[in-house]
């Protein structure tokens, strides 16, 4: 069977936003340019050594109906919730939180000389799992396997499979792939992606040619949205490139969205707001 190489469908420039109590971010999914990339609801990139850009953090706030994925490149973020969970993730760690029927939590970046840098991705849950029990998968940097392809790429496998190596995040409804890929100069990276799955690359260091050597170079920060197919190809010239490669199975379900709540109907959103007002949310 012949494989089909994916072509680039769109290239998105991230938009500056301020979230939480005053954290400065670059957002590429959940903007006027790109509202939703089924099943992905939001992608934020944060990176600063200026404490004023991040120290206010994200005080206690609710989520329902989604999963949030936090991947740190540098610094540290402390978190806790109303269910009694608490901890700290550091450089190279990932936290995959399934909010399910509801959770109240806070995320507070720690002020350090290196500042803080990383990503937060929101993944939608299917209707049958929106009211599931909340859970965390916290994966330390040392637990994330790294695949090295000689002369081609270095790949941290957070979720999915690369060259027979499985990522540690499992049991996710969207059947995701989440990779941190570094490609050296004058190299080519090719990776299989399941046909029919939504896929994107978020370029955050260097530049590369996405979709083949005849394509224009894309420099970070940019979001590259892939069309359908079986494989993706990235080539480099004199500069290396580093990017997230993320894919997942689309849900194809109605989306009713209100801030941190994502359900299937407006009535479910109104019910969530009533629970929040009555103090019965996330018990």
């Amino acid at each position: 069977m012949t494989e089909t190489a994916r072509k680039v469908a769109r290239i998105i420039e991230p938009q500056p936003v301020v979230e939480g109590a005053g954290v400065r971010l670059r957002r590429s999914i959940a903007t006027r340019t790109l509202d939703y990339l089924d099943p992905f609801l939001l992608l934020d990139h944060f990176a600063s050594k200026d404490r004023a850009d991040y120290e206010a953090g994200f005080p206690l706030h609710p989520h329902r109906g989604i999963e949030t994925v936090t991947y740190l490149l540098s610094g540290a973020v402390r978190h806790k919730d109303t269910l009694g969970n608490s901890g700290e993730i550091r450089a190279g760690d990932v936290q995959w939180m399934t909010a399910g029927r509801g959770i109240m939590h806070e995320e507070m970046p720690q002020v350090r000389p290196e500042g803080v840098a990383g990503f937060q991705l929101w993944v939608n849950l299917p209707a049958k799992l929106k009211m599931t029990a909340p859970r965390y998968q916290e994966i330390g940097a040392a637990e994330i396997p790294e695949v090295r392809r000689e002369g081609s790429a270095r790949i941290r496998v957070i979720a999915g499979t690369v060259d027979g190596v499985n990522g540690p995040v499992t049991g996710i409804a969207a059947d995701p792939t989440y990779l941190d890929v570094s490609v050296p100069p004058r190299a080519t990276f090719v990776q299989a992606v399941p046909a029919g799955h939504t896929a994107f690359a978020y370029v955050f260091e260097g530049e590369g040619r996405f979709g083949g050597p005849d394509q224009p170079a894309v420099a970070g920060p940019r979001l590259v949205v892939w069309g359908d197919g079986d494989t993706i190809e990235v080539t480099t010239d004199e500069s290396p490139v580093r990017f997230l490669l993320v894919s997942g199975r689309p849900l194809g379900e109605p989306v009713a969205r209100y801030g941190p709540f994502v359900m299937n109907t407006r009535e479910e959103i109104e019910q969530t707001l009533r629970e929040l007002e009555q103090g019965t949310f996330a018990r």
Side-chain angles (χ1 to χ4, degrees), residues 67-199:
E67 300 182 284
T68 68
V69 186
T70 305
Y71 176 42
L72 279 194
L73 300 176
S74 65
V77 175
R78 289 182 184 165
H79 66 91
K80 63 180 180 180
D81 65 35
T82 50
L83 302 178
N85 300 297
S86 65
E88 181 175 282
I89 59 172
R90 304 177 181 88
D93 297 350
V94 65
Q95 180 196 79
W96 200 298
M97 183 187 79
T98 303
R101 62 176 174 252
I103 198 167
M104 299 279 293
H105 76 148
E106 70 174 33
E107 300 157 294
M108 303 301 291
Q110 300 303 291
V111 176
R112 296 186 176 180
E114 70 270 28
V116 68
F119 309 92
Q120 186 162 99
L121 174 70
W122 290 10
V123 187
N124 203 3
L125 281 168
K128 65 182 180 181
L129 294 178
K130 283 195 176 293
M131 297 299 284
T132 193
R135 70 166 179 154
Y136 288 93
Q137 294 186 66
E138 291 195 4
I139 311 296
E143 300 174 75
I144 298 174
E146 186 172 280
V147 173
R148 291 180 178 264
R149 294 177 178 171
E150 187 175 353
S152 169
R154 178 170 53 85
I155 309 145
R156 299 193 80 217
V157 187
I158 296 167
T161 303
V162 175
D163 299 351
V165 176
N166 298 319
V169 174
T170 59
I172 305 297
D175 189 21
T177 293
Y178 192 119
L179 311 177
D180 176 354
V181 183
S182 299
V183 184
R186 299 175 297 281
T188 298
F189 167 75
V190 177
Q191 179 62 34
V193 178
H197 282 209
T198 299

Side-chain angles (χ1 to χ4, degrees), residues 241-263:
V241 68
R242 187 178 179 188
F243 57 93
L244 301 181
L245 177 59
V246 180
S247 69
R249 182 188 299 112
L251 301 181
E253 296 181 351
V255 174
R257 186 171 183 166
Y258 186 84
F261 310 127
V262 184
M263 304 301 287

